[in-house]
Amino acid sequence: MFKWRKWVRILHRDFGYVAAGLTVVYAISGIAVNHTQDWNPNYSIEKSTMKIDPVPDSLLTSETLITDILAKVGEKGKLKSFFLPDSNTINIFVDGNTISVNLKKGEISQEKITSRAVIRETNFLHLNSPKKIWTFVADLFAIALAFLAISGLFMIKGKNGIKGRGAWLTAIGVFIPIIFLLFYYYKLL
Amino acid sequence: MKNIILSVVAFLFLVSNSFAGDGNKYGKDLRLKEKTKISAILAAPNGYVGKKVQVEGNVVGVCEKRGCWIELASDKPFQKIKIKVKDGEIVFPMEEKGKKAVVEGEVYEIKMTKEQALAAAENEAKEHGKKFDPTSITGPVTLYQIKGLGAVIK
C-alpha cells in the first residue's frame, strides 16, 4: 500500500529545509516594507543644517566655490556633480551626501544617506528588483510555500490532525484575512 | 548530497551571472537614436505630449521612499524634469543622485486645479522638510513629466 503520508512528510521536510533561508529573507523584508509610512526601509537619511557667511555675488561664479563649500562642511567624499535649482541655490552631489546651499542667506542643508545593511538586500530580493531569473526563483519559492502550507495540513493523524484540532486552527487562519477584507476592503462590518 | 548542493549553487551562480545586467541599466533597453534636449521639451511641452523621447541629464533628485521617480537637470540652468516610473517596475537607488542618466520615455501632462496644486506643493514641501509657501501657487498648474520606460545611469 502506498504510504502517502510518509511521502508528504519527507517532501515537507526537504522543501522546508530549502525554503528556510528565503523565508527568513522575505520575513525580514516583509516587516521592513510594512512600515514604509514610518521609515525608509532601504536607507537611513540624516538631515542637518548649518550657517555660513553669505557668499558675495563676486564669488558666485568662482571656480573654487564648490571646493570652498565642501571644505566648510568638512565633506571629503567624491564630488559627482552639482545643480543650480535657482539663481540663489546650488546643490552639490557627493558620494552619500547632498549639500544644498542658499548662497545669499548662507544656509546649508545636508542629507546624508546610508544604506541599511541586510534589510536593503532583503528588500531588493523580496520586491523583485533584480527581475530576470530571480522572478522564476521567487515563483518557485511561492509554489514551495503553497506546498508547505497544504502538505503541513496532512502531516499529522489523529485528534491533533486536520480532522481535529488542526481543523479549528486552520479555520482561524483562513478567517483572519477574510475578516480584514470584510472590514477594510468591502467595508461591510 | 554535497555534490547536489554544489551543483545547484554552481548552476544558480552561472545562470544568474549570465542574466545579470550592467548594474546601472533600468527597465527597457534604450532604442531611440536621437536625444531631445530637456530645455526643448520645457520650452514647448505641448509639441512633445504623447511622444517618446530620449533625454540626458544629471540626476538631481530621487524618490526617497520607493525609488519611483528621478529628476534630471536640464541642459539649461534652473530647469529640471521629473521622470516617473511605474511603482515597483523600476526602482532607482538613491546612490544614483548626481550621476549622468540617459532616459527614454513618453512625455505627458498633469493638469491640476489651484487646490490640487496647493495640496501637491504642500505635500512636496513636507516630504523635503521645507517650509510651504501657499503664495507660490497662484492658479491652476500644468506639469510636464516623462513616463520613464528605460534608463542607463553612469
Side-chain angles (χ1 to χ4, degrees), chain A residues 71-139:
Chain A
K72 276 179 181 151
V73 298
E75 177 58 65
K76 290 173 184 163
K78 187 188 164 199
L79 173 68
K80 293 199 277 190
S81 63
F82 68 93
F83 174 59
L84 305 171
D86 56 59
S87 58
N88 293 332
T89 314
I90 184 168
N91 292 344
I92 304 168
F93 304 107
V94 179
D95 266 344
N97 194 3
T98 299
I99 301 146
S100 182
V101 188
N102 185 316
L103 301 161
K104 292 273 161 89
K105 293 181 180 170
E107 291 170 351
I108 297 182
S109 61
Q110 293 187 75
E111 191 180 270
K112 292 184 180 178
I113 60 161
T114 316
S115 184
R116 292 191 195 278
V118 181
I119 297 174
R120 187 175 169 199
E121 283 83 352
T122 63
N123 294 338
F124 181 75
L125 296 175
H126 180 199
L127 302 176
N128 191 16
S129 294
K131 305 273 188 310
K132 304 179 182 100
I133 199 154
W134 179 255
T135 306
F136 299 106
V137 175
D139 284 348

Side-chain angles (χ1 to χ4, degrees), chain A residues 50 61 124 135 160 162:
Chain A
M50 66 180 280
T61 52
F124 181 75
T135 306
N160 287 329
I162 191 66

Side-chain angles (χ1 to χ4, degrees), chain A residues 8-173:
Chain A
V8 163
R9 286 184 182 202
I10 290 170
L11 291 172
H12 186 95
R13 179 195 68 198
D14 288 352
F15 273 65
Y17 284 140
V18 176
L22 269 179
T23 307
V24 172
V25 165
Y26 276 60
I28 292 170
S29 173
I31 294 170
V33 298
N34 217 13
H35 299 274
T36 46
Q37 295 301 317
D38 308 313
W39 80 326
N40 187 316
N42 289 315
Y43 302 96
S44 160
I45 301 172
E46 184 191 325
K47 294 181 180 177
S48 62
T49 56
M50 66 180 280
K51 275 278 226 181
I52 56 168
D53 291 334
V55 179
D57 287 349
S58 59
L59 292 179
L60 289 182
T61 52
S62 161
E63 283 180 4
T64 59
L65 177 65
I66 291 175
T67 48
D68 287 347
I69 293 168
L70 292 179
K72 276 179 181 151
V73 298
E75 177 58 65
K76 290 173 184 163
K78 187 188 164 199
L79 173 68
K80 293 199 277 190
S81 63
F82 68 93
F83 174 59
L84 305 171
D86 56 59
S87 58
N88 293 332
T89 314
I90 184 168
N91 292 344
I92 304 168
F93 304 107
V94 179
D95 266 344
N97 194 3
T98 299
I99 301 146
S100 182
V101 188
N102 185 316
L103 301 161
K104 292 273 161 89
K105 293 181 180 170
E107 291 170 351
I108 297 182
S109 61
Q110 293 187 75
E111 191 180 270
K112 292 184 180 178
I113 60 161
T114 316
S115 184
R116 292 191 195 278
V118 181
I119 297 174
R120 187 175 169 199
E121 283 83 352
T122 63
N123 294 338
F124 181 75
L125 296 175
H126 180 199
L127 302 176
N128 191 16
S129 294
K131 305 273 188 310
K132 304 179 182 100
I133 199 154
W134 179 255
T135 306
F136 299 106
V137 175
D139 284 348
L140 285 175
F141 174 59
I143 293 166
L145 282 185
F147 172 78
L148 288 170
I150 294 164
S151 60
L153 299 176
F154 303 102
M155 282 174 60
I156 292 174
K157 284 195 286 189
K159 65 172 185 174
N160 287 329
I162 191 66
K163 289 180 181 171
R165 188 164 169 260
W168 291 105
L169 293 174
T170 304
I172 290 171

